[in-house]
Amino acid sequence: ALLAESGGGLVQAGDSLRLSCLSTGGTFSRYAMAWFRQAPGKERDLVVVIRQSGDITYLIDSVKGRFTISRDNAKNTVYLQMNNLRPEDTAVYYCAADTSFRGAYYRGTYHYSRNDFDSWGQGTQVTVSS
């Protein structure tokens, strides 16, 4: 699958943005999709995953209640609605797909790491000024 993000930009603290990620090729509805982010000089962190079933897992506590992931299988698109943005949310945001079904199931839920995702977009910059 080829992934292309859009929707990033420069905003002020407290503003909102909606990121989109369009998937072409492959079978989008079969894939777990995720959003990662990478701040300057830091690791690329997994932010949130939405599985094929629609189950959602947030991996970063600070975004819970502010960020919402969703998917539209008819449009082959996954979204990240980001509200009440903070300067610490500044990063390049990447969408990714688990096209090889690598997510591990244990303790009653699926678990993902960066290595489970094998298709990546080019990233979109989100900058939040204070």
Side-chain angles (χ1 to χ4, degrees), residues 17-69:
L17 280 175
R18 187 174 82 154
L19 306 183
S20 300
C21 173
L22 174 65
S23 175
T24 56
T27 308
F28 176 79
S29 62
R30 298 183 64 198
Y31 307 145
M33 299 296 297
W35 286 96
F36 288 75
R37 69 183 184 185
Q38 187 168 19
K42 295 190 175 180
E43 298 276 323
R44 188 174 299 186
D45 292 328
L46 177 56
V47 179
V48 59
V49 179
I50 184 167
R51 295 202 65 250
Q52 303 89 319
S53 61
D55 290 343
I56 294 170
T57 303
Y58 291 91
L59 283 302
I60 297 179
D61 287 342
S62 66
V63 309
K64 293 178 181 178
R66 299 189 299 122
F67 289 12
T68 303
I69 190 172

Side-chain angles (χ1 to χ4, degrees), residues 2-20:
L2 296 177
L3 306 177
E5 304 95 337
S6 60
L10 172 62
V11 297
Q12 294 186 330
D15 286 349
S16 298
L17 280 175
R18 187 174 82 154
L19 306 183
S20 300

Side-chain angles (χ1 to χ4, degrees), residues 70-129:
S70 61
R71 65 189 297 160
D72 186 335
N73 289 337
K75 295 182 178 180
N76 291 345
T77 301
V78 62
Y79 304 96
L80 185 65
Q81 177 67 42
M82 304 185 295
N83 297 328
N84 191 20
L85 282 160
R86 304 170 181 171
E88 54 264 38
D89 296 319
T90 295
V92 178
Y93 283 72
Y94 299 88
C95 72
D98 174 13
T99 69
S100 300
F101 315 111
R102 295 173 179 172
Y105 185 84
Y106 59 92
R107 296 180 183 173
T109 190
Y110 280 88
H111 298 262
Y112 293 90
S113 67
R114 177 177 175 178
N115 292 335
D116 294 326
F117 294 89
D118 49 7
S119 291
W120 292 84
Q122 80 288 352
T124 186
Q125 177 71 47
V126 172
T127 303
V128 185
S129 64

